Amino acid sequence: MLKIKASNEKLLSAAAKFLASQKFDLKALMRAILQSETYQRAGRSLPENAADNRFFSHYYPRRMMAEVLHDAIAQVTGVPTQFTVDRRNAKQGLGEKYPLGFRAIQLPDTQTDSYFLKAFGRPEREKTCECERTVEPSVTQILHIANGDTINEKLAAKKNVLSKLIEQKTPSDKIVEEIYLSALSRYPKVTEKEKILKVLRTAKESEHRVAIEDAYWAVLSSKEFLFNH
């Protein structure tokens, strides 16, 4: 049997002993890891550890998984996706569509016709290895974020979050706050708010919705939204 050496043998041994002491309660182990100083470190590096990519001297930003990213976009815009079963691989009795609101993370297999999930590295599950999933950025992903159907169609949908904000005649400053709170779980900084408010307030009445769509798109295409920090 091939034995793979751990990058930190002492840490692995300590984690194994802790798990055994907790009667192999995985939730207890996960809780200990999540509460650790290492796990909670910020993503901002220092000059002396900027090149470190192994020992977690700081958090390494990682793009969200394809399924999670897709579901996040659907949640922020308020537009669920109607996933379609790939006709070439549809199983008998399954039908061609999943229920509206079915999340990407809930999909039972990869036999789903979704360009977004394929472009952002969802694994084909042909082998039992996480290495099958790719998180490497590509030109295809950049182009799809900029011009693809996933974000743009959800922003243009008639019954989405934007429509509700406009129907309720929500003030521009509250719209900006709603964008940041729903997408980034924080209020916008003063400079961020001023820039977007300038665009919203100078837009013609006929272009008001388009301006809001652009503001949403700017946040949804940002590194802060696309990556875990």
Side-chain angles (χ1 to χ4, degrees):
M1 180 181 291
L2 177 63
K3 184 178 180 180
I4 300 176
K5 187 177 180 180
S7 60
N8 191 325
E9 291 285 355
K10 291 183 179 180
L11 178 60
L12 179 62
S13 297
K17 289 180 180 179
F18 177 83
L19 182 60
S21 69
Q22 297 297 315
K23 297 181 180 180
F24 299 96
D25 184 350
L26 292 178
K27 287 186 177 180
L29 176 62
M30 291 175 65
R31 187 182 300 110
I33 293 174
L34 295 175
Q35 291 177 339
S36 69
E37 180 183 340
T38 301
Y39 186 89
Q40 297 181 21
R41 286 179 180 172
R44 293 181 180 179
S45 62
L46 299 174
E48 56 268 26
N49 65 15
D52 175 32
N53 59 6
R54 183 178 180 184
F55 295 111
F56 294 96
S57 57
H58 60 281
Y59 184 82
Y60 310 136
R62 298 176 181 175
R63 199 197 68 224
M64 288 192 285
M65 293 192 305
E67 299 91 331
V68 177
L69 180 56
H70 182 282
D71 290 342
I73 294 172
Q75 183 168 322
V76 172
T77 57
V79 183
T81 297
Q82 181 85 69
F83 287 105
T84 304
V85 179
D86 192 332
R87 293 181 179 180
R88 296 169 296 178
N89 300 296
K91 298 179 181 179
Q92 186 176 2
L94 183 60
E96 294 188 354
K97 291 184 178 181
Y98 288 98
L100 183 63
F102 207 78
R103 289 176 174 267
I105 201 70
Q106 293 177 297
L107 294 171
D109 53 44
T110 60
Q111 311 306 327
T112 310
D113 188 13
S114 174
Y115 181 81
F116 182 95
L117 297 180
K118 291 180 181 178
F120 280 83
R122 178 190 60 177
E124 294 297 329
R125 299 183 189 174
E126 295 178 349
K127 49 187 176 182
T128 56
C129 178
E130 181 61 23
C131 59
E132 190 180 11
R133 180 184 294 277
T134 173
V135 293
E136 294 299 320
S138 66
V139 175
T140 300
Q141 295 169 6
I142 296 173
L143 292 176
H144 191 69
I145 289 293
N147 305 309
D149 297 337
T150 306
I151 293 180
N152 291 323
E153 287 187 355
K154 290 185 184 300
L155 291 177
K158 293 182 179 180
K159 296 182 179 180
N160 62 5
V161 171
L162 286 75
S163 299
K164 294 178 181 178
L165 292 173
I166 294 173
E167 290 172 3
Q168 296 169 0
K169 297 182 179 180
T170 307
S172 295
D173 60 327
K174 294 299 181 183
I175 290 178
V176 178
E177 290 182 359
E178 174 62 24
I179 295 173
Y180 275 79
L181 287 172
S182 62
L184 306 178
S185 298
R186 68 171 177 83
Y187 284 97
K189 298 177 182 177
V190 175
T191 53
E192 294 171 333
K193 193 171 186 177
E194 288 178 349
K195 288 180 180 180
I196 298 179
L197 281 177
K198 183 178 180 180
V199 174
L200 296 181
R201 289 172 175 170
T202 57
K204 298 179 182 178
E205 186 176 349
S206 59
E207 299 175 349
H208 184 56
R209 178 178 176 115
V210 175
I212 297 176
E213 289 181 8
D214 288 344
Y216 262 94
W217 180 87
V219 174
L220 292 176
S221 62
S222 68
K223 290 183 179 179
E224 186 174 355
F225 178 77
L226 299 173
F227 286 77
N228 283 323
H229 298 272

